[in-house]
Amino acid sequence: MGFLLTLCNGASPAEENGLFVVNGPKGRVTLRDLEPEVIAALHRLAPPGADEDALADAVGAIGNGALPRWFYYLDRLTRRGLIGRSAHESGTRLATLFAVSPAFAWKPVRPAPDRQYALSRFAYLRREGNEGVVESPQSHARLVLQESRAARLIGALAAPATPAELAERSGLTTEGATGLLALLLRAEMASEAGTEPEDPDLRTWAFHDLLFHTRSRKGRSDAPYGGTYRFAGQFPPPPAVKPVPVGDRVPLFKPDIRALERTDPPLAWVQEHRRSVREFDTTQPITVAQVGEFLFRVNRVKEQRETELQTVRGPVVMDFVSRPYPTGGSLYELEIYAAVRTCDGLTPGLYAHDPVAHRLVRVRGRGPAVDELLGDAAESTAIPAGELQVLFVLAARVPRVAWKYESIAYALVLKHVGVVYQTMYLAATAMGLAGCAVGGGDADLFARAAGVPYAAETSVGEFLLGSKRGEPARDARE
Ligand SMILES: Cc1cc2nc3c(=O)[nH]c(=O)nc-3n(C[C@H](O)[C@H](O)[C@H](O)COP(=O)(O)O)c2cc1C
């Protein structure tokens, strides 16, 4: 079982001023003082590559410590993802394993012919460009498939199988199947079946949780990360403020913030007394003025401005707003909707908050969709549905964040939800209202209720608000 050593697509080895430089799409390695035989061996790595053992023999023949140096060069090129190992059948590549982080070091693994192996529950196959790739949030490497039989072997690994059984089920030779399996074992994408029970901590991680975590944090991914403005030059940035939807408009009360600065309870008191309150005063529901004050404190647009930004893809004009809570990149992608069941002064239904004019826009009357949104929140909080007053739904215009940020866009959105939740809790406490965050909701139901396209704007959080039992209701207009 031997592997082909091969350069990644787009990597170009070149001699520059006496140095040997390998430039690739995701890294660069400079090697110096190389023997001509080593340079010749490096040139043989161009796809489809050359047999790893044959190259080692050729370099080893130089003597004088050339072989350990060769392995050192290969290690550096491997960790930068510039070279990979291909499992093959008579020189035809089946799949190639590349590092996605410098933590990946190559060590050969030899599958035993009489043992059974199975795919990791974290491994998955997807298309990238014109290639199939196998990845896993547990792995520091990516397997690029070059042959459809390699994909069949991945499928065959869903159930425990020996190398010979895998060969039979995939149409590969035992040699080819064993080589491919060795790459999967090395990448921690497969393991021996039924040996060690899964580590108890790892067991708690669902596939999607670990994938989201590893792909939105640095460490085991080679994807571009952070503010790359990847769509600059392709289409304009989605606006800071969404166009106001069609519907009846309800102007909202605007409190005097300067007066509140003098009369509000101190921050330390608010922080100490903040609680999730799941009991509402059904005799005296929340008022539209209180909803107005609450949304003014939490969500209003305080300022709008336009800025020309210098991005790696050229200058871009982008508009920004300022609101009472912070967001990454000052992007403010969250929209707030109010599903109203009972509120003094507001007809039940679903409303969008227009944060610039500070008004509500009625996007749907009371009906099954709004009732289902409220019912969902009632179930999550164990509050009888008939006692709910107002449910705020936070919906994210994800494209606004993803236009600028790569790898972290959705993670940022969820962080913003947390920021808004706490801002809502503090405002509710200061106002003597009952508030409670809701941990889950139905994004499809919201899309239907609000009539917004799922990919453009999707619900990411919910917060219940109502009048507080036993609390003298503070009239926001006083
Ligand atoms: C992100 C988040 C999600 C929550 N989800 C729910 C929920 O679905 N149902 C519920 O009754 N309470 C929910 N809560 C409220 C918590 O249960 C509550 O904050 C916790 O028990 C601590 O109590 P306290 O808020 O009164 O200090 C949530 C709170 C947060 C911050």
PDB file of all heavy atoms in Angstrom, residues 13 20 23 58 125 140 193 217 286 293 304 371 388 394 442:
ATOM      1  N   PRO A  13       5.568  25.279  -7.867  1.00  0.00           N
ATOM      2  CA  PRO A  13       6.925  25.332  -7.330  1.00  0.00           C
ATOM      3  C   PRO A  13       7.807  26.163  -8.259  1.00  0.00           C
ATOM      4  O   PRO A  13       7.670  26.079  -9.471  1.00  0.00           O
ATOM      5  CB  PRO A  13       7.358  23.865  -7.334  1.00  0.00           C
ATOM      6  CG  PRO A  13       6.462  23.176  -8.304  1.00  0.00           C
ATOM      7  CD  PRO A  13       5.291  24.039  -8.599  1.00  0.00           C
ATOM      8  N   PHE A  20      13.917  27.744  -3.151  1.00  0.00           N
ATOM      9  CA  PHE A  20      12.860  26.971  -3.790  1.00  0.00           C
ATOM     10  C   PHE A  20      11.554  27.336  -3.087  1.00  0.00           C
ATOM     11  O   PHE A  20      11.401  27.133  -1.884  1.00  0.00           O
ATOM     12  CB  PHE A  20      13.150  25.472  -3.672  1.00  0.00           C
ATOM     13  CG  PHE A  20      12.289  24.651  -4.583  1.00  0.00           C
ATOM     14  CD1 PHE A  20      12.676  24.388  -5.892  1.00  0.00           C
ATOM     15  CD2 PHE A  20      11.072  24.149  -4.144  1.00  0.00           C
ATOM     16  CE1 PHE A  20      11.874  23.639  -6.744  1.00  0.00           C
ATOM     17  CE2 PHE A  20      10.265  23.405  -4.989  1.00  0.00           C
ATOM     18  CZ  PHE A  20      10.670  23.146  -6.295  1.00  0.00           C
ATOM     19  N   ASN A  23       4.315  28.053  -3.882  1.00  0.00           N
ATOM     20  CA  ASN A  23       3.198  28.972  -3.646  1.00  0.00           C
ATOM     21  C   ASN A  23       1.901  28.244  -3.911  1.00  0.00           C
ATOM     22  O   ASN A  23       1.757  27.602  -4.949  1.00  0.00           O
ATOM     23  CB  ASN A  23       3.273  30.131  -4.644  1.00  0.00           C
ATOM     24  CG  ASN A  23       3.870  31.359  -4.016  1.00  0.00           C
ATOM     25  OD1 ASN A  23       3.498  31.715  -2.888  1.00  0.00           O
ATOM     26  ND2 ASN A  23       4.785  31.986  -4.722  1.00  0.00           N
ATOM     27  N   ALA A  58      14.961   7.796  -3.972  1.00  0.00           N
ATOM     28  CA  ALA A  58      15.811   8.642  -4.820  1.00  0.00           C
ATOM     29  C   ALA A  58      16.553   9.668  -3.969  1.00  0.00           C
ATOM     30  O   ALA A  58      17.757   9.896  -4.156  1.00  0.00           O
ATOM     31  CB  ALA A  58      14.959   9.345  -5.880  1.00  0.00           C
ATOM     32  N   LEU A 125     -19.901  14.110   2.982  1.00  0.00           N
ATOM     33  CA  LEU A 125     -19.419  14.299   1.609  1.00  0.00           C
ATOM     34  C   LEU A 125     -20.227  15.428   0.978  1.00  0.00           C
ATOM     35  O   LEU A 125     -21.448  15.455   1.112  1.00  0.00           O
ATOM     36  CB  LEU A 125     -19.639  12.993   0.842  1.00  0.00           C
ATOM     37  CG  LEU A 125     -18.942  12.768  -0.496  1.00  0.00           C
ATOM     38  CD1 LEU A 125     -18.987  11.292  -0.839  1.00  0.00           C
ATOM     39  CD2 LEU A 125     -19.528  13.559  -1.634  1.00  0.00           C
ATOM     40  N   HIS A 140      -8.410  17.537  10.874  1.00  0.00           N
ATOM     41  CA  HIS A 140      -7.595  18.666  10.420  1.00  0.00           C
ATOM     42  C   HIS A 140      -7.218  18.479   8.951  1.00  0.00           C
ATOM     43  O   HIS A 140      -6.242  19.057   8.485  1.00  0.00           O
ATOM     44  CB  HIS A 140      -6.340  18.793  11.286  1.00  0.00           C
ATOM     45  CG  HIS A 140      -6.633  19.307  12.662  1.00  0.00           C
ATOM     46  ND1 HIS A 140      -6.514  20.633  13.005  1.00  0.00           N
ATOM     47  CD2 HIS A 140      -7.085  18.680  13.771  1.00  0.00           C
ATOM     48  CE1 HIS A 140      -6.854  20.801  14.273  1.00  0.00           C
ATOM     49  NE2 HIS A 140      -7.206  19.623  14.763  1.00  0.00           N
ATOM     50  N   ALA A 193     -14.492  -0.413  13.777  1.00  0.00           N
ATOM     51  CA  ALA A 193     -15.881  -0.471  14.256  1.00  0.00           C
ATOM     52  C   ALA A 193     -15.956  -1.173  15.604  1.00  0.00           C
ATOM     53  O   ALA A 193     -15.263  -2.163  15.836  1.00  0.00           O
ATOM     54  CB  ALA A 193     -16.745  -1.207  13.239  1.00  0.00           C
ATOM     55  N   ARG A 217     -15.123  28.961  14.094  1.00  0.00           N
ATOM     56  CA  ARG A 217     -13.949  29.329  14.890  1.00  0.00           C
ATOM     57  C   ARG A 217     -12.719  28.940  14.074  1.00  0.00           C
ATOM     58  O   ARG A 217     -12.792  28.062  13.218  1.00  0.00           O
ATOM     59  CB  ARG A 217     -13.922  28.563  16.228  1.00  0.00           C
ATOM     60  CG  ARG A 217     -15.152  28.736  17.078  1.00  0.00           C
ATOM     61  CD  ARG A 217     -15.279  30.105  17.677  1.00  0.00           C
ATOM     62  NE  ARG A 217     -14.169  30.457  18.542  1.00  0.00           N
ATOM     63  CZ  ARG A 217     -13.965  31.701  19.031  1.00  0.00           C
ATOM     64  NH1 ARG A 217     -14.781  32.678  18.720  1.00  0.00           N
ATOM     65  NH2 ARG A 217     -12.944  31.950  19.817  1.00  0.00           N
ATOM     66  N   ILE A 286     -50.349  44.759  28.820  1.00  0.00           N
ATOM     67  CA  ILE A 286     -49.370  45.755  28.371  1.00  0.00           C
ATOM     68  C   ILE A 286     -50.064  46.746  27.425  1.00  0.00           C
ATOM     69  O   ILE A 286     -51.033  46.387  26.746  1.00  0.00           O
ATOM     70  CB  ILE A 286     -48.191  45.031  27.674  1.00  0.00           C
ATOM     71  CG1 ILE A 286     -47.024  45.967  27.408  1.00  0.00           C
ATOM     72  CG2 ILE A 286     -48.632  44.349  26.382  1.00  0.00           C
ATOM     73  CD1 ILE A 286     -45.752  45.236  26.980  1.00  0.00           C
ATOM     74  N   GLU A 293     -42.317  52.402  24.076  1.00  0.00           N
ATOM     75  CA  GLU A 293     -41.133  52.761  24.875  1.00  0.00           C
ATOM     76  C   GLU A 293     -40.097  51.637  24.835  1.00  0.00           C
ATOM     77  O   GLU A 293     -38.897  51.877  24.682  1.00  0.00           O
ATOM     78  CB  GLU A 293     -41.537  53.052  26.331  1.00  0.00           C
ATOM     79  CG  GLU A 293     -40.306  53.358  27.188  1.00  0.00           C
ATOM     80  CD  GLU A 293     -40.612  53.732  28.629  1.00  0.00           C
ATOM     81  OE1 GLU A 293     -41.709  54.269  28.885  1.00  0.00           O
ATOM     82  OE2 GLU A 293     -39.741  53.492  29.484  1.00  0.00           O
ATOM     83  N   GLN A 304     -28.057  57.590  11.086  1.00  0.00           N
ATOM     84  CA  GLN A 304     -27.773  56.904   9.820  1.00  0.00           C
ATOM     85  C   GLN A 304     -26.628  57.624   9.134  1.00  0.00           C
ATOM     86  O   GLN A 304     -26.552  58.858   9.174  1.00  0.00           O
ATOM     87  CB  GLN A 304     -28.998  56.947   8.896  1.00  0.00           C
ATOM     88  CG  GLN A 304     -30.122  56.032   9.334  1.00  0.00           C
ATOM     89  CD  GLN A 304     -31.330  56.125   8.421  1.00  0.00           C
ATOM     90  OE1 GLN A 304     -32.110  57.057   8.548  1.00  0.00           O
ATOM     91  NE2 GLN A 304     -31.474  55.187   7.508  1.00  0.00           N
ATOM     92  N   ASP A 371     -51.226  32.685  15.540  1.00  0.00           N
ATOM     93  CA  ASP A 371     -51.556  31.846  16.702  1.00  0.00           C
ATOM     94  C   ASP A 371     -50.513  30.749  16.904  1.00  0.00           C
ATOM     95  O   ASP A 371     -50.149  30.420  18.032  1.00  0.00           O
ATOM     96  CB  ASP A 371     -52.944  31.205  16.528  1.00  0.00           C
ATOM     97  CG  ASP A 371     -54.052  32.209  16.826  1.00  0.00           C
ATOM     98  OD1 ASP A 371     -53.717  33.303  17.332  1.00  0.00           O
ATOM     99  OD2 ASP A 371     -55.229  31.919  16.533  1.00  0.00           O
ATOM    100  N   LEU A 388     -50.593  34.824  26.986  1.00  0.00           N
ATOM    101  CA  LEU A 388     -49.523  35.608  26.343  1.00  0.00           C
ATOM    102  C   LEU A 388     -50.049  36.978  25.935  1.00  0.00           C
ATOM    103  O   LEU A 388     -51.234  37.142  25.643  1.00  0.00           O
ATOM    104  CB  LEU A 388     -48.998  34.890  25.096  1.00  0.00           C
ATOM    105  CG  LEU A 388     -48.304  33.550  25.284  1.00  0.00           C
ATOM    106  CD1 LEU A 388     -47.637  33.122  23.980  1.00  0.00           C
ATOM    107  CD2 LEU A 388     -47.268  33.611  26.395  1.00  0.00           C
ATOM    108  N   LEU A 394     -37.232  37.937  16.527  1.00  0.00           N
ATOM    109  CA  LEU A 394     -36.039  38.551  15.936  1.00  0.00           C
ATOM    110  C   LEU A 394     -35.740  37.815  14.639  1.00  0.00           C
ATOM    111  O   LEU A 394     -35.577  36.592  14.645  1.00  0.00           O
ATOM    112  CB  LEU A 394     -34.836  38.400  16.881  1.00  0.00           C
ATOM    113  CG  LEU A 394     -34.690  39.398  18.028  1.00  0.00           C
ATOM    114  CD1 LEU A 394     -35.930  39.460  18.889  1.00  0.00           C
ATOM    115  CD2 LEU A 394     -33.480  39.043  18.876  1.00  0.00           C
ATOM    116  N   ASP A 442     -39.831  28.388  15.175  1.00  0.00           N
ATOM    117  CA  ASP A 442     -40.008  27.758  13.868  1.00  0.00           C
ATOM    118  C   ASP A 442     -39.763  28.800  12.773  1.00  0.00           C
ATOM    119  O   ASP A 442     -40.594  29.686  12.548  1.00  0.00           O
ATOM    120  CB  ASP A 442     -41.437  27.194  13.796  1.00  0.00           C
ATOM    121  CG  ASP A 442     -41.698  26.411  12.519  1.00  0.00           C
ATOM    122  OD1 ASP A 442     -41.038  26.692  11.502  1.00  0.00           O
ATOM    123  OD2 ASP A 442     -42.581  25.537  12.545  1.00  0.00           O
TER     124      ASP A 442
END
